Amino acid sequence: GQQVMQIPQYQHVQEGEDFTTYCNSSTTLSNIQWYKQRPGGHPVFLIQLVKSGEVKKQKRLTFQFGEAKKNSSLHITATQTTDVGTYFCAGPSYNTDKLIFGTGTRLQVFP
Amino acid sequence: GAGVSQSPSNKVTEKGKDVELRCDPISGHTALYWYRQSLGQGLEFLIYFQGNSAPDKSGLPSDRFSAERTGGSVSTLTIQRTQQEDSAVYLCASSLVRGSNQPQHFGDGTRLSIL
């Protein structure tokens, strides 16, 4: 079945270091969404990418959608302790309105 | 306005009991989703409601799980004869309209613990 995988599963960084999580789909996606879940919290929508090769920025966060629309990445520049949490990508399930969430990358930032 | 509201926030029950979890979506949102999240894991899709259409139940793990959405608003997820493996956080999300290109807005979840 359709799968959305993320790597790494877990990463810890020193505050100020950069961080990247990669999202890979087994199928071509019409769009990709990114969510952040703080520890003990619920997922919060961050952004959606639609176009092949699209790049969007939100302050220190840079989101990219691959040319083949099968992968995506989230890069955080100069991490802060407020960036701690799990980052999920999510793509549409083939021919339905459901989202398939990725396996998530848990980010820990040490001050 | 108010976000997605879920109740109870925590539920502890004995194995074999039935439980009901409630979700009140954002007013005006026509699509409603239920997910299950085990500790440290990703989101497992359970069921999806859209307006008056038949729900997509393809994610329900067994016939002990059922859900309904009355009046196109509040939804209830029912788990009968609970098992220990049902312990998880149950998250509800809503979106303005149907479509996998719609952002989903999540509630705080119900943390279910089966003793």
Side-chain angles (χ1 to χ4, degrees):
Chain A
Q2 184 180 0
Q3 290 186 323
V4 180
M5 306 296 292
Q6 285 182 252
I7 54 171
Q9 184 177 359
Y10 173 73
Q11 186 161 7
H12 63 261
V13 299
Q14 205 72 34
E15 190 174 21
E17 292 181 337
D18 291 356
F19 159 78
T20 304
T21 172
Y22 299 91
C23 173
N24 296 289
S25 170
S26 58
T27 60
T28 301
L29 302 171
S30 57
N31 66 80
I32 190 107
Q33 297 182 13
W34 284 92
Y35 291 78
K36 176 184 178 181
Q37 184 175 25
R38 295 182 185 273
H42 59 265
V44 174
F45 173 79
L46 294 176
I47 206 162
Q48 178 172 255
L49 304 171
V50 178
K51 299 176 183 177
S52 169
E54 187 171 12
V55 178
K56 286 189 176 180
K57 293 190 176 185
Q58 289 180 349
K59 298 183 180 177
R60 294 177 295 103
L61 277 61
T62 301
F63 303 85
Q64 187 166 7
F65 201 8
E67 293 290 342
K69 302 182 78 173
K70 292 185 71 174
N71 56 71
S72 181
S73 64
L74 159 58
H75 179 82
I76 303 179
T77 304
T79 54
Q80 300 176 358
T81 55
T82 53
D83 296 325
V84 165
T86 301
Y87 293 84
F88 292 99
C89 62
S93 174
Y94 177 73
N95 214 26
T96 74
D97 290 330
K98 296 183 305 193
L99 279 179
I100 304 295
F101 279 80
T103 46
T105 295
R106 188 155 69 98
L107 172 65
Q108 180 65 262
V109 179
F110 296 105
Chain B
V4 176
S5 177
Q6 290 188 246
S7 61
S9 54
N10 284 281
K11 177 72 175 179
V12 180
T13 192
E14 293 180 346
K15 176 182 171 181
K17 301 285 189 183
D18 297 354
V19 294
E20 280 191 356
L21 312 180
R22 176 189 167 103
C23 172
D24 200 344
I26 293 173
S27 178
H29 279 200
T30 61
L32 186 148
Y33 305 80
W34 282 99
Y35 296 90
R36 178 168 70 175
Q37 187 174 34
S38 299
L39 187 62
Q41 301 299 308
L43 281 73
E44 176 189 4
F45 167 79
L46 297 178
I47 188 168
Y48 159 53
F49 294 91
Q50 168 56 44
N52 296 321
S53 303
D56 180 342
K57 304 179 181 180
S58 59
L60 294 179
S62 77
D63 58 8
R64 296 187 296 104
F65 288 72
S66 63
E68 61 178 20
R69 187 179 185 192
T70 54
S73 181
V74 171
S75 176
T76 303
L77 176 68
T78 301
I79 309 173
Q80 295 178 309
R81 305 180 302 281
T82 52
Q83 304 293 314
Q84 288 187 329
E85 61 262 28
D86 299 334
S87 296
V89 175
Y90 289 81
L91 290 162
C92 175
S94 69
S95 60
L96 183 60
V97 295
R98 69 181 300 167
S100 57
N101 62 347
Q102 297 296 311
Q104 295 187 11
H105 302 267
F106 285 81
D108 288 333
T110 294
R111 183 175 300 277
L112 178 63
S113 300
I114 309 299
L115 303 178

